Amino acid sequence: MLNIKRFMCNMLQENCYVISDETKECVIIDCGAQYQEECSAISQYISKEGLKPVHLLATHGHLDHNWGNHAIFDKFGLKVETRSEDAFLIEDLAKQANDFFGFQLNEAEAPVGHYFSESEQVTFGHHHFTILHTPGHTPGGCVYYCENEKVAFTGDTLFRMSIGRTDFERGSWQEMAESLQRLAKLPANTVIYPGHGPQTTIADELQFNPYMR
């Protein structure tokens, strides 16, 4: 059984997730912790629960989902893992900070540990995630899907009753539409944990989300 803890981070209220199982191994998805108190809350939870972080994952390369990568690297020695199509974003977070928010990052760029291919899986404890490539919001957007537990971490591809924007650099409405159709094929009872906002299910999105019809 998976234990899923959500932390709401930074000025854009991004969702960071810490996912663990009975082995106490855990993965961190989309650490957007901008402020020290956010970083501390995540670290304290991991320590209190006696967890061992083994992967730092990013659903895509935007800054609001990767603000805390340096803090996680400093604390646990984990390097972020994501799709190579988003290398131009995740390897230059300072440019995003300047272009989108008008300020400079004070810390050095956190190193990237690995770029996934489509056939790879992420393993931790007694569980694994299948990596679904879902471009549209960014070219390297991906979803981490656990078939056994019927949960999916969708980043900024699919939200409750909405979807991610496609008007950022190298975004694509056509690719987004194709990615949504791919997610529509997941089991209806799959619980969706998005990059912003509350959780939902594939069934609810197929019924109520106009972009999924």
Side-chain angles (χ1 to χ4, degrees):
M1 179 177 178
L2 290 179
N3 299 307
I4 301 170
K5 176 69 173 179
R6 180 180 74 150
F7 296 87
M8 193 177 298
C9 297
N10 68 57
M11 64 184 75
L12 298 183
Q13 296 187 313
E14 177 268 346
N15 292 330
C16 168
Y17 298 98
V18 178
I19 305 101
S20 59
D21 70 7
E22 60 275 14
T23 70
K24 295 296 185 177
E25 286 193 346
C26 72
V27 299
I28 303 165
I29 296 180
D30 285 354
C31 188
Q34 177 184 5
Y35 304 107
Q36 182 57 50
E37 54 266 33
E38 295 170 346
C39 296
S40 295
I42 294 169
S43 295
Q44 288 170 9
Y45 169 77
I46 291 172
S47 177
K48 180 181 177 182
E49 297 298 319
L51 303 180
K52 177 185 177 182
V54 293
H55 292 285
L56 171 61
L57 308 175
T59 59
H60 63 293
H62 281 155
L63 176 62
D64 59 315
H65 292 253
N66 293 277
W67 232 312
N69 289 355
H70 194 275
I72 297 300
F73 176 66
D74 283 349
K75 180 70 174 180
F76 302 108
L78 295 180
K79 300 178 182 179
V80 68
E81 304 169 63
T82 193
R83 293 275 309 197
S84 62
E85 295 89 345
D86 273 11
F88 75 104
L89 291 169
I90 207 161
E91 292 179 4
D92 198 356
L93 297 179
K95 183 178 186 299
Q96 292 187 59
N98 183 68
D99 291 350
F100 289 103
F101 302 103
F103 62 78
Q104 293 184 339
L105 291 180
N106 294 324
E107 64 275 359
E109 294 281 353
V112 177
H114 181 65
Y115 287 117
F116 294 118
S117 63
E118 188 68 8
S119 61
E120 289 187 81
Q121 294 183 332
V122 177
T123 300
F124 65 103
H126 294 152
H127 292 81
H128 69 267
F129 290 140
T130 299
I131 303 164
L132 307 178
H133 186 204
T134 55
H137 182 65
T138 66
C142 62
V143 167
Y144 298 101
Y145 171 56
C146 182
E147 182 178 8
N148 289 343
E149 301 282 350
K150 298 296 186 293
V151 298
F153 299 86
T154 58
D156 286 3
T157 298
L158 178 62
F159 303 135
R160 182 178 180 275
M161 308 307 160
S162 188
I163 61 171
R165 292 173 58 172
T166 60
D167 58 340
F168 292 127
E169 182 180 4
R170 293 177 59 184
S172 167
W173 164 246
Q174 180 60 41
E175 290 184 337
M176 174 65 83
E178 293 171 358
S179 294
L180 294 173
Q181 287 304 304
R182 185 176 190 184
L183 294 181
K185 296 176 182 178
L186 294 178
N189 62 342
T190 300
V191 179
I192 300 300
Y193 292 88
H196 301 269
Q199 68 189 60
T200 182
T201 65
I202 288 294
D204 283 350
E205 296 313 301
L206 287 174
Q207 183 174 2
F208 299 113
N209 189 334
Y211 298 102
M212 293 285 282
R213 296 174 184 172

